[in-house]
Amino acid sequence: MTVAMQTNLHPAWLPADAFRAIGSRRTVISATTSDSPLIDTVYAEVRAACYRFGGTVTRSSVDDDTDLMLRLTSEPGGLGDEGYSVGRADGITTVTADGPAGLLYGLFHLVRLGGSAFTGDPVTDDRATRTHRPAVRRRMLNHWDNVDVNPLMGQIERGYAGGSIFWRAGALTDDLDRLRTYARLLAATGINAITVNNVNVGRTEARLLTDRLDDVATIAAIFRAYGIALHLSVSFASPMVLGGPPTADPLDESVRAWWAATTARVYDAVPDFGGYVVKADSEGQPGPFAYGRSHADGANMLADALAPYGGVVHWRAFVYNHRQDWRDRSTDRARAAYDHFAPLDGQFHDNAILQVKYGPMDFQAREPVSPVIGAMPATRLAVELQVTQEYTGHQLHVCYLGPLWSEVLGFRFDGDGDGPFTGDAGSTVAGIAEHGGSLVAVSNVGDDPFWCGHPLAQANLYAFGRLAWEPAADPVVLLDEWISLTFPADTVDDPALVRGVLHAMMDGSWRTYERYTAPLGVGFMVRPADHYGPSVDGYEYTQWGTYHFADRDGVGVDRTRAAGTGFAGQYPKPWADVYESIADCPDELLLFFHHVPYGHVLRSGSTVIQHIYDTHFAGADEAATMREHWQRLADAGLDPALYARVADRLDEQVRSAREWRDQINTYFFRKSGVPDAHGRRIH
């Protein structure tokens, strides 16, 4: 095996220089397993680094000249399939793993450490051995890529980085080296599962199960070399679409037999196939409701087909009425997932994983954690995040999402403390995902030379993989890792300046984006369809259930038990009471749970209307400051193409932030008639 290094692509967080510390040393790989593609990958990675930087690598025993030992144990040592330990003694840095995947992850851990991996105590030069294991078994990226170009959504639904890296004009891409490069990037963050087609499965995509299996097997072989299992999004109606029974009833024996036979053929082609992802009874996708069956019935049918091979089905909980009457205030989209799924707790098979978006609406920059996550202790749950910036600036805006995800993962349903999963509602979201076995995110990758459209959006992809491995990690530390890897000190003129500027731009960029968009958790206010830019009333009179109910007196959605939709009551105590109370509800979620007058005084001491004005002026100013920070790097030795791409997108972010500021402030000034206390211009 050779390591894929494409010169026309930005190397992201694995530039050649990131391997300098390893490649300049003498390495021994000691592994009794000789037929593992992962061991071959480890050897190929080290060999490529040594070729570039003058070191050596052998598959023999350690000697006096060895600097680095990568060792696979002959007997399990409690590290698990993916865990590893790193230590240093007698001048040798040693990575030990029980399984080949662990050795690969240990190698990439050394890449993150750089030269510090080969130094220890100032006196002894030793480094205490530390063990590293992933918190979550399945760390998955969902690609919403279409095999055929969709007339509405293009090649990638909610994609902002060009076309698909997997598919081109209805066929498998011929650029397989790029797929190898991508697999390598993902493995370096800890990702170990992937889907390669959209959850909104079209007729062409449905055929990946049958006559397009060769394409699936080709992709699977590439990702297998980096420990990444391939999954497929499938249509619930696949039997009907693909020439099987004329029904998709999950309790019909002919349907169950069709899925069993089809799944057997998939595993014949891809023996380590991961399983299925299903979007059913959602936004027009077919599902079990058509047959009077439950979502547990549908998920369990597929779970039964996958069970003989160790596969799993991820069944998405994104189910709601997408033809709502905007006049009907009793129907609440936020309630829908809980109402549909919480009563089914305990009815899903063990290999049926309910995939729940982190919030009850749809990947907003601010919304509460979904109550479904804490309501189903007898069901395996996956928590779904979104790396692609559908509602956070389309990868035209700098918006580092690590802090948002860290807040979500650390949320406890008992409102107190943090800790590992204990089986009760008091567990963290991360602990519940650990128990369920999966943390999932929608990818932001396309065929753009910078992978993500915006070069700085790469940090979101990196942070997701690292948080999926270690949910308690500090997102600012992870950003610092990404900066160190992506902009190695030897490749820029002033590493401290680059690091300082990027932290100044990115550490608080999620909150900056929140400030200049929809206020106080109310959400949306975006242009319908493409979800970019402001349109305060764009969704207000539509069927999508995404309303703010602003009038001349106030704004917000009453979701209380006392007078509203009752959504607040879907949470356990203390959150049910916290969200019910205007006085106790966190300011940042006030308009999600309450309709309040413009003169309502927040905990901050500001009125709602003045808060709207202040945050939108501040957010637009902060966007302009980001651009000023970036301009300080004009002569810092960055890749000129990267510098220009970021500068161009910052120009758009500044323009868009001002547009958000002016439209939001003008809208609420005209609604309320309340002037800005500071006399700033509102149109």
Side-chain angles (χ1 to χ4, degrees), residues 78-92:
L79 295 169
D81 291 341
E82 296 182 312
Y84 58 90
S85 65
V86 180
R88 181 171 175 81
D90 301 324
I92 301 174

Side-chain angles (χ1 to χ4, degrees), residues 459-523:
N460 286 328
L461 185 59
Y462 180 86
F464 168 72
R466 295 286 288 116
L467 283 169
W469 180 283
E470 186 183 354
D474 183 339
V476 176
V477 172
L478 298 183
L479 178 60
D480 200 63
E481 281 183 8
W482 175 79
I483 293 169
S484 295
L485 291 168
T486 306
F487 303 94
D490 291 342
T491 66
V492 296
D493 294 341
D494 190 339
L497 176 64
V498 172
R499 185 181 307 278
V501 163
L502 288 172
H503 276 295
M505 292 175 62
M506 299 177 71
D507 285 1
S509 56
W510 158 52
R511 293 186 183 277
T512 291
Y513 186 86
E514 181 184 10
R515 286 185 188 101
Y516 62 72
T517 54
L520 296 169
V522 75

